[in-house]
Every structure is written in C-alpha cells, then in structure tokens.
C-alpha cells in the first residue's frame, strides 16, 4: 500500500485515492486541426517510463481534490512536483 | 496430500549456447509467447536460425507468475477466434510436444451476481455458440453439482445467480508448458540464450538490422519483441511510442490442501478468480494495481479485497494460510486487447499489450506471430490486432469479456 501525501489532507493510505494517470496531458489547443495520428497520440498514448513519472491522483475519500506528484515507477518513491516559477 | 504427481522433466531440456553474431530471427523475451513463437517459426515455417534472448532466466517473468487459466469464452469475434485457436492448439500440444504439462480441462465458471450480469453473461454464451465455442449457461442448482464448495446462499451480499460454463477451459502447469516449448524449439535448432539483456536496436535508416545486448551486438534479419511489460522501454529506444501502460498484477497461493476445488471459478463482480493447482495450492488472482509500476510488487489492499471476495464465495477457505503473494508487470492497452503485428520500422515486429490474459493465448499467439514474422504480414487471426487500430478507431474493446479489470 502506498502512503500518498495529499497536499491538503496530509499522508493517507493509497486506498483513499484514485489514480489519474500521466499528468500534464492537455486537451489539444486546436482540435479541428489534428489528424488521426495526432488524435490517437492524444487519446491513447502516454509515457510509460521505468523511473520518474509525473502523474495525477485524486483524494476520493478525503477532500476530493486532484494533485500531481512525481513517482519513481520502480521504487514507488513519491515527491511533490516542483512548482515552476 | 498431493493430488496429482508432477511429471518428471526430461533429463536435458535445452542447450545453453553462446550467441552467434547473426540470426535470421531474434526474438526478445523467452516467456511462453517468445518460446511458442520460436517453436512455430521452426515447425510451421522451417525457420530454424532463431535466437530467443532473455535478460533473466527462461520463463522467469510473467510466465512464472501467472494463474495458469485457459479459456476462450470471449465476446467479440476477433477475440473468440484468437483465443479459441489457442485452445484448440492447447488440446493437441501435450502429444505434439511429447510432454505432459498437466493440461486439465476441468471447466471454467464465470459467475453472475446481478440481473444485468445474468443478461450480459447469457449474451456472451450466445455469442460464443455463434462462434462455435463451447459455452453453457448454468443455474445455481447445477453450479452446486459442478462446484460443491461454492457458497450459493441467497443471504450474501452478492448472491450467485448463475454462471457461464466453458467445459473445455481449465488450467495447465505453466512452467512445464514453457519447458515443453523450449525443449522442442531447441531440438529444431533454436538458440535459447539466457542472461542476455537487449538494450537497444541496430538500425539502417528505418530498417532494424539487429539488437544491442549485454553480450554484444547480434545481427538479425527480423527482430520480434515478446517482452511483455518491458516492451515500451525497448521501443522508447527507437522513439516509437506505444499505447501501453505497465502495471503490477498480483496473485497469491495458499498452502497445499486436499483436492477440494474441482474447476476454475471467476467472478468479475466481486472480482476474484480461483482454482486449485495440481499440487494442491489454491491459486487466486484479481485485477491490476491502478498505478504504473515496474517494481514487481503491488499493494496489500488489492490482495485483501480479493481474499475477502474469495472468502464470501468459498467459506471453506477461511482457515487456509496464504503462503506467497507476488506481482508481475503486465502491459495494458487502452482497449484491453493485445497488439500483434508489424511496426513502422522494417523488420521489427510487436507482440505486446496482453494485460492480464496472455497465458491462455500462448500457443495461439505463437502460431500467428510466427506467421507474421515469417511472411512479413499478419495471419488472418491477428489482422485486427495491428497497431493501426488506435489510429483508425477499430478498437477491440474487450474489457468485459476479458473478465478482469484493466
């Protein structure tokens, strides 16, 4: 069981959260201009690294808010994302 | 008490050759899929200058970690055709490979716990029958005869309202399956090379000409990936992005028990599947852990939930001890169906994305993947499974009949 740090509620068991996959996958800026391959990339393709992964979790059993973390997919070490100034 | 003595492996199963500098075909990954592919390349296509490269030891990845269930009761035509081809091969393989790998067609029950699930299950039975796949709908009274230890009380949270039954389904001894394929492939000249990690590819433009390995470069006419959860780590070397996410998938076994569990029982709804191995362990599995991970360990709450579900279905197991839990790394696609076929790189072929269900397909995928590699074109059974389906939108969205959560 992962111990996940919710920025608002603190450290809680993984069972309180749901996983949201890769972070920072934005809806296309100009969707009408996307070809099929670009749509496929947006809809279906995500990074799958062994190592650092920026991902989203939602604290479903707590504050119900979304947040991003960086997790090492081999060791499960988690840390908050650096806030880019 | 041991229910069925395990067969003794033959004294010598395969050579341990030094890798040559070039092969007609290099297969990456010596799990069940890689070994079956090598076997059918040699047997069906006469291609024997083949190496199977394995970073660890033979069949030590997901092949060593699966719950050994075999069935073909899928809903969609594309899936039914592929998995039933595999099942028909399973039925002839013990004789063909001259190896008793304890194929036991003891029947697979997929339970229904809600009215809607009853309708969906019956629909799947009709779909199976239309595809020529044996399938029956069974009521609780008949389930009680098929599996007397199952709790059929109406006074549980999710009472069993019925089940689909595939009598041809069952289990096989997974390690022995791998060894059986390995021995025959080796006999036909295939080099099985363990402790040889593939770290990258050799390229001439967009044409793959070989692989980089921990034992040096190895040239190849064609390179075929069969690396399960690590496939995207390999294709990342090429900048080839695949619709794959690698997740932990856990399972567990109990101590050895008297033979009490006569068939395979699966439940989508309370989400557990359980059979009893030949030696006597109960083998239990559930769905994947939600997050990506290569750690080959999952979260305890997933195991707790599957054991809670198992206990409601099988109160007799309340005092059984868990002996081992483990996790493999499975590669999951957005439509819960595998990817089998060519890639944008010439001479590079893909077999990946099997998620939780690759074992049952082992001979079937070996057959069609060998055809794809040998001819450069998909076999009719894997035409629908190409990478292009994520662009065309012709998905094989088989989450329901996959019977486990992806």
């Amino acid at each position: 069981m992962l111990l996940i740090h919710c920025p608002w509620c603190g450290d809680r068991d993984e069972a309180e959260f749901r996983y949201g996959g890769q972070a920072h996958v934005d809806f296309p800026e100009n969707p009408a201009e996307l070809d099929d391959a670009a749509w496929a990339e947006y809809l279906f393709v995500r990074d799958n690294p062994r190592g650092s992964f920026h991902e989203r979790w939602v604290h479903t059993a707590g504050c119900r808010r979304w947040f991003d973390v960086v997790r090492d997919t081999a060791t499960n070490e988690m840390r908050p994302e650096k806030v880019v100034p | 008490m041991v229910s069925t003595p395990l067969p003794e492996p033959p004294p010598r199963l395969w050579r341990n050759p030094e890798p040559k500098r070039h092969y007609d075909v290099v297969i990456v990954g010596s799990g069940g899929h890689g070994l079956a592919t090598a076997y059918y390349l040699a047997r069906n296509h006469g291609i024997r200058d083949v190496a199977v490269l394995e970073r660890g030891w033979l069949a030590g990845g997901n092949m060593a970690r699966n719950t050994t269930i075999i069935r073909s009761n899928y809903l969609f035509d594309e899936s039914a055709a592929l998995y039933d081809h595999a099942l028909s091969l399973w039925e002839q393989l013990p004789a063909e490979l001259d190896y008793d790998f304890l194929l036991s067609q003891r029947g697979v029950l997929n339970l229904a716990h809600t009215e809607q699930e009853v309708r969906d299950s019956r629909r799947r039975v009709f779909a199976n029958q239309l595809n020529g796949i044996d399938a029956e709908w069974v009521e609780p009274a008949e389930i009680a005869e098929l599996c007397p230890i199952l709790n059929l009380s109406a006074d549980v949270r999710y009472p069993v309202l019925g089940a689909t039954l595939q009598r041809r389904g069952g289990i096989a001894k997974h390690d022995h399956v791998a060894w059986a394929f390995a021995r025959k492939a080796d006999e036909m000249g295939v080099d099985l090379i363990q402790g040889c990690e593939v770290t990258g590819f050799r390229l001439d433009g967009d044409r793959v000409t070989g692989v980089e390995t921990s034992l040096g470069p190895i040239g190849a006419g064609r390179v075929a990936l069969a690396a399960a959860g690590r496939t995207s780590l390999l294709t990342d070397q090429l900048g080839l992005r695949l619709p794959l996410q690698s997740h932990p998938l856990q399972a567990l076994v109990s101590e050895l028990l008297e033979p009490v569990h006569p068939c395979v029982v699966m439940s989508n709804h309370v989400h557990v599947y359980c059979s009893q191995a030949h030696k006597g362990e109960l083998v239990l599995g559930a769905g994947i852990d939600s997050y990506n991970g290569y750690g080959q360990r999952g979260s305890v709450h997933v195991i707790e939930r599957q054991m809670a579900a198992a206990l409601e279905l099988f109160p007799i197991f309340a005092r059984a001890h868990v002996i081992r839990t483990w996790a493999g790394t499975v590669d999951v696609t957005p439509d819960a169906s595998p990817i089998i076929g060519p890639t944008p790189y010439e001479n590079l072929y893909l077999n990946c994305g099997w998620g939780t269900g690759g074992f049952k397909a082992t001979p079937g995928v070996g057959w069609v993947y060998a055809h794809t590699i040998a001819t450069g074109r998909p076999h009719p059974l894997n035409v629908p499974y190409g990478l292009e389906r994520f662009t065309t939108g012709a998905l094989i969205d088989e989450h329901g009949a996959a019977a486990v959560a992806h």
Side-chain angles (χ1 to χ4, degrees):
Chain A
M1 177 116 43
L2 306 181
L3 183 65
I4 299 176
H5 183 77
C6 170
W8 296 281
C9 307
D11 292 341
R12 301 295 183 91
D13 283 349
E14 177 197 344
E16 293 192 15
F17 298 83
R18 286 187 76 85
Y19 184 58
Q22 185 174 352
H24 311 301
V25 181
D26 295 330
F27 190 77
E29 268 188 37
N30 299 303
E33 291 169 18
L34 259 56
D35 62 13
D36 289 351
W39 271 118
E41 171 84 13
Y42 167 67
L43 289 172
F44 299 127
V45 181
R46 297 291 180 267
D47 295 341
N48 191 27
R50 186 179 192 278
S52 286
F53 189 49
H54 291 249
E55 65 187 12
R56 307 193 314 150
W57 291 84
V58 58
H59 193 185
T60 42
C63 63
R64 298 163 65 185
R65 288 207 263 184
W66 285 93
F67 58 94
D68 296 343
V69 298
V70 184
R71 184 174 55 91
D72 186 304
T73 60
T75 64
N76 286 330
E77 282 177 274
M78 297 172 96
R79 58 182 170 83
E81 281 194 328
K82 248 186 219 160
V83 180
V84 181
Chain B
M1 189 186 103
V2 173
S3 59
T4 313
L6 298 179
E8 282 294 315
R12 185 180 185 86
L13 287 162
W14 58 82
R15 301 161 290 130
N16 271 313
E18 290 296 311
K20 296 190 288 180
R21 295 278 58 104
H22 187 277
Y23 291 91
D24 284 349
V25 178
V26 162
I27 296 170
V28 183
S30 78
H33 287 199
L35 294 168
T37 302
Y39 170 71
Y40 287 117
L41 271 173
R43 175 195 182 272
N44 291 0
H45 303 281
I47 298 176
R48 299 181 173 202
D49 185 28
V50 176
V52 185
L53 308 183
E54 169 57 50
R55 77 186 183 100
W57 59 92
L58 188 134
N62 289 350
M63 188 67 174
R65 293 179 167 86
N66 78 83
T67 51
T68 78
I69 297 167
I70 292 167
R71 61 188 177 88
S72 66
N73 54 352
Y74 277 66
L75 178 66
F76 290 166
D77 293 350
E78 298 91 338
S79 311
L82 184 59
Y83 288 106
D84 206 54
H85 178 58
L87 182 49
S88 61
L89 291 172
W90 279 119
E91 289 169 327
Q92 69 195 52
L93 273 173
E96 180 180 318
L97 298 177
D98 187 25
Y99 202 125
D100 176 13
F101 53 69
L102 298 177
L103 175 69
S104 167
Q105 293 178 288
R106 55 182 68 184
V108 174
L109 286 169
N110 286 81
L111 306 181
H113 301 271
T114 69
E115 288 298 335
Q116 184 59 45
E117 211 176 3
V118 169
R119 294 184 197 103
D120 292 343
S121 300
R122 293 178 64 106
R123 180 179 177 230
R124 181 158 47 77
V125 166
F126 297 140
N128 290 161
Q129 290 170 348
L130 286 169
N131 275 317
I133 293 170
D134 73 302
E136 297 164 48
W137 171 253
V138 288
E139 300 282 342
E142 194 174 351
I143 296 173
E145 289 177 21
L146 291 162
C147 191
I149 59 170
L150 195 55
N151 181 9
L152 294 163
S153 163
D155 299 325
V156 293
R157 188 172 180 191
Y158 299 112
V160 175
L161 302 181
T164 66
L165 169 64
Q166 184 174 28
R167 291 186 193 270
R168 287 164 65 226
I171 60 172
K173 187 78 184 149
H174 52 305
D175 294 329
H176 291 240
V177 169
W179 301 339
F181 274 121
R183 182 177 65 136
K184 281 293 177 193
D186 175 88
E187 273 177 20
M188 289 189 286
V190 172
D191 281 359
L192 307 174
I193 299 162
Q194 306 177 74
C196 179
E197 180 170 11
V198 172
T199 55
F201 298 92
R202 295 175 83 77
L203 284 174
D204 179 2
D206 280 347
R207 193 161 56 90
V208 169
T209 59
V211 290
E212 304 287 351
T213 82
S214 55
L215 300 180
I218 298 176
R222 282 149 286 181
V223 173
L225 303 186
R230 291 181 163 261
T231 301
S232 70
L233 298 178
L234 287 169
T235 59
D236 280 351
Q237 308 278 334
L238 296 167
L240 172 61
R241 283 166 61 77
L242 299 177
L244 292 177
Q245 296 281 277
S246 297
H247 289 258
L249 174 64
Q250 299 188 79
L252 61 91
V253 293
S254 75
E255 62 202 308
L256 307 185
L257 301 170
E258 294 278 342
V260 288
H261 192 343
C263 57
V264 180
V265 169
M266 310 184 69
S267 169
N268 244 349
H269 197 80
V270 301
H271 207 169
V272 68
Y273 40 98
C274 184
S275 62
Q276 188 167 18
H278 295 88
K279 274 194 301 183
E281 312 104 310
L282 300 171
V283 185
L284 277 76
I288 57 171
D289 279 58
S290 65
Y291 50 81
N292 298 22
Y294 292 92
Q296 292 188 324
R297 60 182 293 186
S299 291
V300 174
H301 73 270
V302 175
I303 294 173
E304 283 179 335
R305 286 175 189 166
Q306 86 188 53
M307 286 201 289
L311 269 189
E312 182 165 294
L313 293 174
F314 302 101
I316 188 180
F317 298 156
R319 288 170 184 272
H321 295 99
V322 172
I323 297 298
R324 278 186 299 128
T325 73
W326 67 88
T329 306
V330 299
D331 46 336
V332 175
T333 62
D335 63 355
S337 292
I339 302 166
I340 318 163
T343 68
Y345 285 85
E346 195 180 336
N347 300 332
L348 179 67
Y349 298 90
L350 269 183
N351 168 51
C352 60
W354 287 88
T356 63
F359 176 70
K360 70 175 89 71
T362 299
V365 66
W367 185 287
V368 301
Y369 199 31
H371 177 101
T372 305
I373 297 159
T375 65
R377 290 184 307 280
H379 184 280
L381 289 175
N382 66 309
V383 167
Y385 288 93
L387 195 52
E388 65 282 356
R389 76 177 187 272
F390 296 98
T391 307
T392 63
L395 302 180
I396 308 167
D397 212 352
E398 190 67 277
H399 292 260
V404 290
H406 281 89

